[in-house]
């Protein structure tokens, strides 16, 4: 994972997305501990306040929770929450730009559907 | 703990190196002090550590004028100068321990080993890179609360720079964030994720003092036709406009109205720095 300081996405959101991705992929399972703020800060060379902000974003979304004095743990059912969120974002992230580009190229609706079906058939 | 710089000015003969600057540094945060060559960064850092004296204004540590040895021992400056003279690295570590009981000499030796710094070497004989490494180790092992780094990565290769950034953050965590690090550097992109707050100085004056995240959130690069850019940015502060052919691109701070004819992108700290400190010309 590379954190890009000049990306459109703020660093703390990139941190949250990265942890989320690893929970979704099953690297961090329900009720297991995720790396500490310090580990992430030192490992990725990012200010601990930024890392903490990213973690708080995940706490707000019930993806991780804090065990006092121990650290951050993955919430039960976190994967499902992440899946739901991604499903909602799928349209905006993939379908909308696909159609926008297709319209610029003057594709008809039929052309678009044909191309998708062709890819699906592979 | 809080370090306040209040209305500090410094004149060298007729040259005004610092013009009435005020800023605060607090423990628990990592700052960058940025500016072009000759902007006044080193002058300010030297004044904070009383290596030189201001022409006017004052510096306060938790409200008390910074004067006593007790207060000054809380501030450490790593700069280009070598004040150890012609002694060996090992001797410098021993001597420092005599003056600063809380100096972590064991850690200094162990870090020397991991950086492959030969402790039997005489300090003036060290290469530029290793002279920096030696001074960094001394700064990171000092027991001071405010540690100032003036060009800490001078002559360091990419690997050693990466080790330094990690070391800085792990020391910051080890000390439970009860320290304050202030880094002055020209390698802005490399430290932009490391720091929380940036202070940019130009010709002895502060042009920016703010949280990096907020600065970057408000700074945008806008490209398109010149008239469209002007229309979209009439409520923003335009820092620069470059035109190539029929397309212009501007770096702006503030609100941009997306009228559909322009492309809006984010800006990195280095780009923002360049636009804020440019003198015109090219």
């Amino acid at each position: 994972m590379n954190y890009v300081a000049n990306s459109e996405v703020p660093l703390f959101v990139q941190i949250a997305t990265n942890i989320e991705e690893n929970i979704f992929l099953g690297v961090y399972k329900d009720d297991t501990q995720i790396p500490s703020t310090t580990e992430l800060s030192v490992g990725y060379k990012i200010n601990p306040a930024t890392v903490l902000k990213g973690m708080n974003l995940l706490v707000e979304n019930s993806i991780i929770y804090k065990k006092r004095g121990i650290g951050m743990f993955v919430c039960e059912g976190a994967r499902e929450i992440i899946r739901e969120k991604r499903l909602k974002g799928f349209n905006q992230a993939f379908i909308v730009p696909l159609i926008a580009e297709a319209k610029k190229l003057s594709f008809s609706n039929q052309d678009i559907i044909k191309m998708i079906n062709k890819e699906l058939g592979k | 703990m809080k370090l306040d710089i209040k209305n500090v000015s410094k004149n060298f003969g007729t040259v005004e190196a610092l013009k009435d600057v005020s800023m605060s540094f607090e423990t628990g945060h990592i700052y960058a002090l940025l500016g072009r060559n000759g902007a006044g960064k080193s002058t300010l850092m030297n004044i904070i550590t009383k290596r030189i004296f201001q022409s006017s204004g004052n510096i306060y540590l938790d409200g008390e004028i910074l004067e006593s040895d007790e207060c000054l021992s809380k501030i450490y400056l790593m700069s280009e100068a070598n004040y150890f003279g012609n002694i060996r690295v090992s001797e410098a570590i021993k001597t420092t321990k005599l003056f600063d009981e809380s100096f972590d000499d064991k850690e200094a030796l162990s870090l020397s080993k991991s950086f492959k710094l030969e402790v039997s070497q005489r300090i003036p004989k060290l290469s530029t890179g290793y002279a920096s490494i030696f001074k960094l180790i001394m700064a990171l092992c000092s027991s001071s609360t405010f540690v100032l780094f003036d060009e800490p990565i001078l002559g360091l290769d990419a690997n050693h720079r990466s080790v330094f950034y990690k070391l800085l953050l792990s020391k910051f965590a080890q000390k439970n964030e009860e320290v304050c690090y202030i880094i002055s550097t020209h390698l802005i992109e490399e430290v932009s994720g490391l720091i929380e707050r940036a202070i940019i100085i130009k010709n002895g004056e502060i042009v920016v003092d703010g949280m990096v995240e907020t600065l970057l959130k408000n700074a945008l690069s806008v490209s398109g036709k010149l008239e469209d850019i002007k229309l979209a940015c009439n409520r923003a502060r335009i820092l620069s406009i470059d035109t190539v052919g029929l397309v212009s691109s501007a770096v702006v701070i503030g609100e941009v109205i997306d009228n559909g004819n322009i492309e809006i992108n984010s800006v990195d700290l280095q780009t923002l720095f360049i636009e804020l400190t440019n003198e015109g010309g090219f």
Side-chain angles (χ1 to χ4, degrees):
Chain A
M1 169 82 201
N2 260 325
Y3 292 99
V4 189
N6 62 353
S7 148
E8 301 296 311
V9 184
L11 272 177
F12 74 95
V13 179
Q14 291 183 53
I15 298 266
T17 310
N18 176 242
I19 298 171
E20 238 178 42
E21 174 75 12
N22 283 313
I23 293 172
F24 190 68
L25 292 173
V27 178
Y28 303 120
K29 299 197 160 50
D30 283 9
D31 285 317
T32 61
Q33 191 170 4
I34 65 163
S36 69
T37 312
T38 306
E39 272 179 87
L40 292 171
S41 158
V42 174
Y44 295 124
K45 292 175 276 183
I46 291 178
N47 192 287
T50 311
V51 175
L52 193 63
K53 206 171 165 189
M55 288 214 187
N56 285 337
L57 206 62
L58 296 178
V59 172
E60 279 167 33
N61 293 326
S62 309
I63 288 163
I64 58 172
Y65 64 97
K66 190 177 182 171
K67 273 193 196 172
R68 279 195 71 142
I70 307 176
M72 295 292 193
F73 287 73
V74 179
C75 292
E76 219 165 295
R79 255 192 104 194
E80 203 42 48
I81 297 172
I82 297 165
R83 207 182 111 82
E84 290 276 319
K85 192 180 132 193
R86 285 195 175 188
L87 280 177
K88 275 188 206 150
F90 186 83
N91 200 48
Q92 203 56 38
F94 299 100
I95 308 296
V96 173
L98 181 140
I99 292 172
E101 177 68 10
K103 293 284 169 204
K104 270 191 206 166
L105 298 172
S106 324
F107 287 176
S108 70
N109 293 358
Q110 220 57 40
D111 291 337
I112 300 171
I113 293 164
K114 227 191 262 171
M115 278 197 294
I116 291 175
N117 277 333
K118 198 178 153 202
E119 274 306 303
L120 287 173
K122 270 186 186 169
Chain B
M1 219 176 256
K2 197 169 172 222
L3 189 65
D4 288 302
I5 286 97
K6 282 191 183 155
N7 310 104
V8 167
S9 296
K10 174 70 183 175
N11 305 319
F12 292 110
T14 53
V15 179
E16 285 181 282
L18 288 174
K19 300 167 196 162
D20 194 30
V21 298
S22 299
M23 64 189 82
S24 298
F25 299 105
E26 272 182 88
T27 49
H29 302 282
I30 303 176
Y31 298 81
L33 188 60
L34 308 172
R36 299 189 60 185
N37 295 321
K41 307 175 302 276
S42 299
T43 303
L44 180 65
M45 290 181 137
N46 281 320
I47 288 173
I48 293 174
T49 45
K50 295 258 184 231
R51 289 188 186 178
I52 60 173
F53 298 97
Q54 62 270 36
S55 307
S56 61
N58 261 315
I59 296 160
Y60 301 84
L61 187 65
D62 276 345
E64 194 185 321
I65 287 195
L66 186 69
E67 254 168 4
S68 66
D69 285 348
E70 159 88 27
C71 284
L72 281 166
S73 74
K74 300 215 161 44
I75 304 168
Y76 189 101
L77 169 60
M78 178 234 156
S79 67
E80 217 188 325
N82 161 34
Y83 291 112
F84 286 102
N86 186 22
I87 59 170
R88 298 177 200 283
V89 171
S90 55
E91 292 166 340
I93 292 174
K94 260 186 227 157
T95 315
T96 305
K97 182 73 182 169
L98 291 177
F99 286 95
D100 176 6
E101 266 180 26
S102 318
F103 174 74
D104 196 344
D105 56 336
K106 289 195 186 76
E107 174 78 347
L109 288 169
S110 115
L111 285 177
S112 303
K113 211 171 187 177
S114 46
F115 272 102
K116 295 197 167 64
L117 166 66
E118 197 49 69
V119 293
S120 61
Q121 275 253 32
R122 287 184 180 275
I123 294 162
K125 290 267 156 67
L126 296 170
S127 66
T128 314
Y130 271 100
S132 290
I133 289 172
F134 162 68
K135 286 182 290 184
L136 281 176
I137 292 174
M138 300 305 276
L140 288 169
C141 295
S142 96
S143 63
S144 300
T145 312
F146 292 86
V147 184
L148 287 65
F149 298 90
D150 192 2
E151 283 298 332
I153 45 196
L154 205 69
L156 294 199
D157 63 34
N159 310 52
H160 278 152
R161 291 205 296 276
S162 171
V163 174
F164 164 60
Y165 300 139
K166 288 185 176 192
L167 201 56
L168 184 93
L169 289 168
S170 79
K171 285 279 167 218
F172 189 63
Q174 264 174 38
K175 296 184 174 177
N176 291 320
E177 307 192 2
E178 308 259 300
V179 281
C180 171
Y181 292 137
I182 304 163
I183 308 165
S184 170
T185 179
H186 291 303
L187 294 179
I188 299 168
E189 265 322 282
E190 288 197 1
V191 299
S192 76
L194 227 64
I195 56 171
E196 227 181 317
R197 208 177 171 90
I199 296 159
I200 302 179
I201 313 185
K202 180 184 177 183
N203 298 332
E205 287 173 288
I206 296 172
V207 286
V208 161
D209 181 351
M211 306 290 286
V212 175
E213 204 188 296
T214 318
L215 289 175
L216 296 183
K217 206 163 73 186
N218 294 327
L220 294 166
S221 137
V222 182
S223 53
K225 277 193 270 180
L226 193 58
E227 61 262 34
D228 289 329
I229 292 178
K230 284 188 172 160
L231 216 58
C233 302
N234 70 354
R235 269 193 274 176
R237 179 178 153 211
I238 298 177
L239 298 177
S240 71
I241 298 185
D242 271 332
T243 305
V244 178
L246 295 173
V247 181
S248 298
S249 71
V251 175
V252 306
I253 296 180
E255 195 189 342
V256 175
I257 304 137
D258 190 355
N259 49 20
N261 299 322
I262 47 160
E263 198 186 315
I264 305 173
N265 283 301
S266 67
V267 166
D268 58 46
L269 191 61
Q270 180 154 301
T271 307
L272 185 63
F273 171 85
I274 292 171
E275 300 306 345
L276 285 166
T277 55
N278 246 341
E279 293 285 355
F282 284 99

